[in-house]
Amino acid sequence: MAHPTQLGFQDAASPVMEELLHFHDHALMIVFLISTMVLYIIAAMITTKLTNKYILDSQEIEIIWTVLPAIILILIALPSLRILYLMDEINNPHLTIKAVGHQWYWSYEYTDYEDLGFDSYMVPTSDLTPGQFRLLETDLRMVVPVESPIRILTSADDVLHSWAVPSLGIKMDAVPGRLNQTAFITARPGVFYGQCSEICGANHSFMPIVVEAVPLKHFEDWTSLMLDA
Protein backbone atom coordinates (compact mmCIF):
# COMPACT_ATOMS: atom_id res chain seq x y z
CA MET A 1 0.00 0.00 0.00
CA ALA A 2 1.32 3.46 -0.89
CA HIS A 3 1.94 5.94 1.92
CA PRO A 4 2.32 9.76 2.08
CA THR A 5 5.59 11.22 0.70
CA GLN A 6 6.47 7.84 -0.81
CA LEU A 7 8.92 7.86 -3.71
CA GLY A 8 8.93 5.01 -6.20
CA PHE A 9 6.65 2.04 -6.65
CA GLN A 10 4.75 -0.02 -4.12
CA ASP A 11 6.47 -3.10 -2.72
CA ALA A 12 6.33 -5.95 -5.22
CA ALA A 13 3.90 -8.75 -4.36
CA SER A 14 4.45 -10.89 -7.47
CA PRO A 15 7.46 -12.15 -9.47
CA VAL A 16 6.44 -10.05 -12.48
CA MET A 17 6.34 -6.85 -10.42
CA GLU A 18 9.79 -7.67 -9.04
CA GLU A 19 11.08 -7.93 -12.62
CA LEU A 20 9.41 -4.63 -13.49
CA LEU A 21 11.08 -2.92 -10.54
CA HIS A 22 14.47 -4.27 -11.60
CA PHE A 23 13.90 -3.07 -15.15
CA HIS A 24 12.84 0.36 -13.89
CA ASP A 25 16.06 0.68 -11.89
CA HIS A 26 18.08 -0.56 -14.89
CA ALA A 27 16.53 1.98 -17.28
CA LEU A 28 16.76 4.78 -14.71
CA MET A 29 20.50 4.18 -14.28
CA ILE A 30 20.98 4.40 -18.07
CA VAL A 31 19.03 7.67 -18.16
CA PHE A 32 21.14 8.99 -15.26
CA LEU A 33 24.41 8.14 -17.04
CA ILE A 34 23.22 9.75 -20.29
CA SER A 35 22.12 12.91 -18.49
CA THR A 36 25.42 13.11 -16.61
CA MET A 37 27.45 12.75 -19.79
CA VAL A 38 25.41 15.35 -21.69
CA LEU A 39 25.61 17.85 -18.83
CA TYR A 40 29.37 17.30 -18.59
CA ILE A 41 29.83 17.94 -22.30
CA ILE A 42 27.69 21.08 -22.17
CA ALA A 43 29.63 22.38 -19.16
CA ALA A 44 32.94 21.58 -20.84
CA MET A 45 31.90 23.38 -24.02
CA ILE A 46 30.95 26.46 -22.00
CA THR A 47 34.00 26.58 -19.73
CA THR A 48 36.74 25.31 -22.05
CA LYS A 49 37.74 25.43 -25.68
CA LEU A 50 36.13 22.07 -26.37
CA THR A 51 34.38 23.48 -29.44
CA ASN A 52 37.48 23.51 -31.60
CA LYS A 53 37.57 22.02 -35.03
CA TYR A 54 38.87 18.66 -33.77
CA ILE A 55 35.64 18.09 -31.88
CA LEU A 56 33.12 19.62 -34.29
CA ASP A 57 34.64 17.95 -37.35
CA SER A 58 35.80 14.70 -35.78
CA GLN A 59 34.71 11.54 -37.57
CA GLU A 60 35.43 9.53 -34.42
CA ILE A 61 32.90 11.60 -32.47
CA GLU A 62 30.25 11.03 -35.15
CA ILE A 63 30.86 7.28 -34.98
CA ILE A 64 30.55 7.31 -31.19
CA TRP A 65 27.26 9.24 -31.09
CA THR A 66 25.82 6.92 -33.74
CA VAL A 67 26.95 3.59 -32.26
CA LEU A 68 26.45 4.43 -28.57
CA PRO A 69 22.68 5.16 -28.83
CA ALA A 70 22.23 1.88 -30.71
CA ILE A 71 23.98 -0.01 -27.91
CA ILE A 72 21.88 1.79 -25.30
CA LEU A 73 18.65 0.84 -27.11
CA ILE A 74 19.73 -2.80 -27.17
CA LEU A 75 20.49 -2.71 -23.44
CA ILE A 76 16.97 -1.40 -22.82
CA ALA A 77 15.11 -3.54 -25.39
CA LEU A 78 16.42 -6.98 -24.42
CA PRO A 79 15.26 -7.00 -20.77
CA SER A 80 12.04 -5.26 -21.82
CA LEU A 81 11.19 -8.00 -24.33
CA ARG A 82 11.99 -10.64 -21.72
CA ILE A 83 9.53 -9.13 -19.25
CA LEU A 84 6.85 -8.80 -21.94
CA TYR A 85 7.24 -12.50 -22.63
CA LEU A 86 6.95 -13.33 -18.93
CA MET A 87 3.80 -11.22 -18.62
CA ASP A 88 2.15 -13.03 -21.55
CA GLU A 89 3.14 -16.49 -20.31
CA ILE A 90 0.12 -18.38 -18.91
CA ASN A 91 0.91 -22.00 -18.05
CA ASN A 92 -1.58 -24.29 -16.30
CA PRO A 93 -3.35 -21.75 -14.08
CA HIS A 94 -4.74 -23.18 -10.86
CA LEU A 95 -7.67 -20.78 -10.87
CA THR A 96 -9.46 -18.67 -13.48
CA ILE A 97 -11.40 -15.56 -12.49
CA LYS A 98 -13.46 -13.41 -14.84
CA ALA A 99 -13.52 -9.70 -13.93
CA VAL A 100 -16.27 -7.69 -15.61
CA GLY A 101 -16.30 -3.90 -15.40
CA HIS A 102 -19.56 -2.00 -14.99
CA GLN A 103 -20.44 1.65 -14.44
CA TRP A 104 -19.22 1.75 -11.72
CA TYR A 105 -18.24 -1.47 -9.98
CA TRP A 106 -16.58 -4.80 -10.70
CA SER A 107 -18.14 -8.24 -10.75
CA TYR A 108 -16.13 -11.44 -10.37
CA GLU A 109 -16.91 -14.95 -11.58
CA TYR A 110 -14.84 -17.91 -10.40
CA THR A 111 -15.22 -20.01 -13.51
CA ASP A 112 -13.86 -23.19 -11.86
CA TYR A 113 -16.87 -23.15 -9.52
CA GLU A 114 -20.43 -23.46 -10.74
CA ASP A 115 -22.14 -20.76 -8.69
CA LEU A 116 -19.35 -18.62 -7.28
CA GLY A 117 -19.69 -15.02 -8.38
CA PHE A 118 -20.39 -11.65 -6.80
CA ASP A 119 -20.41 -7.89 -7.36
CA SER A 120 -17.79 -5.78 -5.61
CA TYR A 121 -18.78 -2.23 -4.65
CA MET A 122 -16.75 0.51 -3.02
CA VAL A 123 -17.45 1.01 0.68
CA PRO A 124 -18.86 4.54 1.24
CA THR A 125 -16.77 6.81 3.43
CA SER A 126 -19.49 6.91 6.09
CA ASP A 127 -19.38 3.08 6.42
CA LEU A 128 -15.63 2.68 6.75
CA THR A 129 -14.24 1.01 9.85
CA PRO A 130 -10.88 1.90 11.48
CA GLY A 131 -8.01 0.65 9.32
CA GLN A 132 -9.91 0.70 6.04
CA PHE A 133 -8.82 2.99 3.22
CA ARG A 134 -11.13 5.63 1.78
CA LEU A 135 -12.00 5.13 -1.92
CA LEU A 136 -10.06 1.83 -1.97
CA GLU A 137 -12.02 -0.59 0.22
CA THR A 138 -14.76 -2.84 -1.21
CA ASP A 139 -17.60 -4.72 0.42
CA LEU A 140 -16.43 -8.02 -1.11
CA ARG A 141 -12.80 -8.74 -1.93
CA MET A 142 -11.44 -10.94 -4.69
CA VAL A 143 -9.83 -13.73 -2.67
CA VAL A 144 -7.08 -15.89 -4.24
CA PRO A 145 -4.72 -18.57 -2.92
CA VAL A 146 -1.15 -17.44 -2.38
CA GLU A 147 1.68 -18.79 -4.57
CA SER A 148 -0.77 -20.17 -7.14
CA PRO A 149 -0.95 -19.16 -10.83
CA ILE A 150 -4.14 -17.14 -11.29
CA ARG A 151 -5.59 -16.32 -14.71
CA ILE A 152 -7.70 -13.17 -14.98
CA LEU A 153 -10.18 -12.77 -17.84
CA THR A 154 -11.32 -9.18 -18.26
CA SER A 155 -14.30 -7.77 -20.10
CA ALA A 156 -16.78 -4.91 -19.72
CA ASP A 157 -20.53 -4.61 -19.78
CA ASP A 158 -20.82 -1.00 -21.00
CA VAL A 159 -17.71 1.11 -21.65
CA LEU A 160 -13.94 0.67 -21.51
CA HIS A 161 -12.50 -0.17 -18.10
CA SER A 162 -9.07 -1.33 -16.97
CA TRP A 163 -8.34 -3.85 -14.21
CA ALA A 164 -5.11 -2.74 -12.52
CA VAL A 165 -3.32 -3.70 -9.30
CA PRO A 166 0.08 -1.93 -9.12
CA SER A 167 1.74 -4.13 -6.49
CA LEU A 168 0.98 -7.22 -8.59
CA GLY A 169 2.23 -5.65 -11.82
CA ILE A 170 -1.13 -6.04 -13.57
CA LYS A 171 -2.99 -3.67 -15.85
CA MET A 172 -5.38 -5.21 -18.36
CA ASP A 173 -8.05 -3.37 -20.34
CA ALA A 174 -11.65 -4.54 -20.05
CA VAL A 175 -13.30 -4.04 -23.44
CA PRO A 176 -17.01 -4.62 -24.18
CA GLY A 177 -17.51 -7.66 -26.40
CA ARG A 178 -13.91 -8.80 -25.99
CA LEU A 179 -12.18 -11.13 -23.55
CA ASN A 180 -8.61 -10.24 -22.55
CA GLN A 181 -6.48 -12.36 -20.28
CA THR A 182 -3.51 -11.96 -18.00
CA ALA A 183 -2.01 -13.92 -15.13
CA PHE A 184 -0.23 -13.36 -11.84
CA ILE A 185 1.18 -15.21 -8.83
CA THR A 186 1.05 -13.62 -5.40
CA ALA A 187 4.39 -14.14 -3.68
CA ARG A 188 3.09 -13.48 -0.17
CA PRO A 189 -0.20 -13.24 1.73
CA GLY A 190 -1.71 -9.79 1.98
CA VAL A 191 -4.31 -7.34 0.73
CA PHE A 192 -3.47 -5.50 -2.49
CA TYR A 193 -5.38 -2.49 -3.76
CA GLY A 194 -5.99 -1.19 -7.26
CA GLN A 195 -8.37 1.00 -9.22
CA CYS A 196 -9.88 1.20 -12.68
CA SER A 197 -7.16 2.76 -14.84
CA GLU A 198 -9.38 3.78 -17.75
CA ILE A 199 -11.39 7.01 -17.64
CA CYS A 200 -14.78 5.33 -17.82
CA GLY A 201 -17.15 8.06 -16.72
CA ALA A 202 -18.28 10.31 -13.88
CA ASN A 203 -17.68 7.73 -11.12
CA HIS A 204 -14.46 6.38 -12.59
CA SER A 205 -12.59 6.91 -9.32
CA PHE A 206 -15.19 5.00 -7.31
CA MET A 207 -14.67 1.44 -8.57
CA PRO A 208 -11.66 0.12 -6.62
CA ILE A 209 -10.14 -3.35 -6.78
CA VAL A 210 -9.11 -5.34 -3.70
CA VAL A 211 -7.23 -8.63 -4.03
CA GLU A 212 -6.72 -10.65 -0.87
CA ALA A 213 -4.13 -13.42 -1.04
CA VAL A 214 -4.54 -16.12 1.61
CA PRO A 215 -3.17 -19.63 2.23
CA LEU A 216 -4.89 -22.41 0.29
CA LYS A 217 -6.71 -23.77 3.35
CA HIS A 218 -8.24 -20.37 4.09
CA PHE A 219 -9.19 -19.99 0.41
CA GLU A 220 -11.03 -23.32 0.49
CA ASP A 221 -12.88 -22.25 3.63
CA TRP A 222 -13.82 -18.95 1.94
CA THR A 223 -15.15 -20.68 -1.18
CA SER A 224 -17.23 -23.04 0.95
CA LEU A 225 -18.65 -20.10 2.87
CA MET A 226 -19.47 -18.18 -0.33
CA LEU A 227 -21.12 -21.21 -1.97
CA ASP A 228 -23.26 -21.88 1.11
CA ALA A 229 -24.38 -18.23 1.37
Side-chain angles (χ1 to χ4, degrees):
M1 183 63 195
H3 56 78
T5 72
Q6 175 179 335
L7 294 176
F9 294 95
Q10 299 179 22
D11 293 337
S14 70
V16 168
M17 189 58 189
E18 291 178 0
E19 293 290 336
L20 290 173
L21 290 178
H22 293 157
F23 176 70
H24 169 267
D25 296 340
H26 169 73
L28 190 63
M29 182 56 64
I30 292 177
V31 171
F32 174 76
L33 293 175
I34 293 173
S35 302
T36 302
M37 184 180 66
V38 171
L39 289 174
Y40 170 76
I41 293 175
I42 292 175
M45 292 176 65
I46 294 174
T47 59
T48 67
K49 296 181 179 179
L50 196 63
T51 56
N52 58 52
K53 64 179 182 179
Y54 298 106
I55 294 298
L56 295 178
D57 300 329
S58 172
Q59 185 176 359
E60 290 78 7
I61 292 295
E62 292 184 4
I63 293 174
I64 291 174
W65 71 42
T66 300
V67 175
L68 190 58
I71 296 175
I72 292 172
L73 289 176
I74 293 174
L75 292 176
I76 295 176
L78 291 180
S80 175
L81 292 174
R82 173 177 171 274
I83 295 175
L84 285 174
Y85 176 79
L86 290 175
M87 295 176 70
D88 287 337
E89 189 76 7
I90 302 177
N91 290 323
N92 302 319
H94 295 174
L95 183 67
T96 298
I97 303 173
K98 184 178 180 182
V100 181
H102 307 272
Q103 289 182 317
W104 285 273
Y105 63 94
W106 292 96
S107 61
Y108 299 102
E109 302 173 12
Y110 287 67
T111 60
D112 299 285
Y113 299 84
E114 185 174 354
D115 297 315
L116 182 51
F118 54 87
D119 297 330
S120 181
Y121 294 91
M122 185 190 76
V123 176
T125 302
S126 58
D127 296 337
L128 291 174
T129 59
Q132 292 185 327
F133 297 101
R134 189 178 70 90
L135 302 182
L136 288 177
E137 195 61 59
T138 59
D139 56 350
L140 292 174
R141 296 171 172 176
M142 191 187 89
V143 180
V144 298
V146 71
E147 295 181 346
S148 296
I150 309 297
R151 175 169 56 189
I152 299 294
L153 305 177
T154 61
S155 186
D157 189 47
D158 32 51
V159 299
L160 292 175
H161 298 279
S162 185
W163 200 84
V165 182
S167 57
L168 297 176
I170 294 180
K171 183 179 183 297
M172 180 57 66
D173 288 342
V175 183
R178 178 171 177 171
L179 206 60
N180 294 328
Q181 70 173 354
T182 186
F184 68 90
I185 300 176
T186 54
R188 54 184 169 85
V191 180
F192 313 110
Y193 295 89
Q195 290 177 300
C196 175
S197 296
E198 189 72 50
I199 300 177
C200 57
N203 291 335
H204 155 68
S205 58
F206 303 126
M207 49 184 304
I209 301 160
V210 183
V211 178
E212 183 175 359
V214 298
L216 181 59
K217 179 62 171 64
H218 294 173
F219 174 76
E220 292 174 345
D221 294 340
W222 177 81
T223 56
S224 299
L225 182 63
M226 292 294 290
L227 290 172
D228 293 338

